[in-house]
Amino acid sequence: TVHPRDLAVFADAASRPYGQSNPPLTLHYGAFAYDDNASSLGAQPYAYTAATASSPTGTYEVNATGGASPDYHFVYHGSILAVGTSGQSIAGFAPDLNATYGDLPLDLNASATSGLPVDYSSSNPDVLEVNGTRLEIRGAGQATIYAHQSGDGNHDPAFDLNATITVHPRDLNVFADAASRPYGQSNPPLT
């Protein structure tokens, strides 16, 4: 009796960032007999994993199956797919760099490529105060507004962006009121 030879089949380790498709999963073999190679098999094994593009960061099993040959008994050895954090950036951060005291609030419309919310802060809340995604104008002067996204378990922090906004004083017209008096009397109160 000639028994099938044990053939070790190793799933190769792989990695990818969160949110992307799995890379091609590969495998390699232990020692074949004689001059045999993978093309000598009736059906070649393949590697697989349960991880998908939406699987969160972590490690996932990679296994092999599917080999067939009358001359070999397949001994499968698994590996892992490491899903790491994905990079992100902030886009659309372009606030108006000039405003006037008394103007309506300025809208902040930046977004992160990850879809996570962007946070804002002001270097001088006495000039520009952050209220969610709006800048409330509080006084004349300058303030630097920072856009920040700190990431989460699946995304790296984005690089902060900033813009310096100048709030100009508002023109205020002051009118001296006309007045009259008879000759020789003191001036009336001037308003």
Side-chain angles (χ1 to χ4, degrees):
T1 301
V2 178
H3 298 283
R5 181 182 187 89
D6 283 348
L7 178 63
V9 180
F10 301 93
D12 296 326
S15 64
R16 67 166 173 83
Y18 169 78
Q20 294 189 9
S21 300
N22 292 332
L25 299 176
T26 58
L27 47 83
H28 66 279
Y29 300 94
F32 283 95
Y34 308 112
D35 291 332
D36 287 350
N37 57 41
S39 64
S40 306
L41 303 175
Q44 293 186 14
Y46 60 90
Y48 68 94
T49 183
T52 65
S54 60
S55 296
T57 58
T59 56
Y60 298 86
E61 289 184 3
V62 176
N63 293 302
T65 191
S69 172
D71 296 326
Y72 292 97
H73 171 257
F74 295 89
V75 180
Y76 298 109
H77 300 273
S79 186
I80 62 163
L81 169 68
V83 177
T85 55
S86 179
Q88 65 167 330
S89 60
I90 297 173
F93 182 63
D96 191 343
L97 299 181
N98 289 286
T100 301
Y101 178 72
D103 285 354
L104 293 174
L106 304 173
D107 289 324
L108 298 170
N109 298 315
S111 61
T113 56
S114 63
L116 297 171
V118 176
D119 296 319
Y120 304 97
S121 62
S122 172
S123 67
N124 190 348
D126 292 335
V127 173
L128 290 169
E129 180 183 356
V130 174
N131 184 3
T133 59
R134 299 179 82 180
L135 288 177
E136 305 285 346
I137 299 172
R138 299 295 183 214
Q142 278 193 333
T144 300
I145 305 303
Y146 298 92
H148 179 75
Q149 208 321 297
S150 58
D152 63 8
N154 295 320
H155 298 91
D156 295 325
F159 288 108
D160 288 353
L161 299 180
N162 67 71
T164 299
I165 300 173
T166 301
V167 177
H168 301 281
R170 187 172 200 85
D171 288 343
L172 180 62
N173 292 313
V174 180
F175 299 92
D177 296 327
S180 65
R181 66 167 174 81
Y183 172 76
Q185 291 189 10
S186 297
N187 291 335
L190 299 177
T191 60

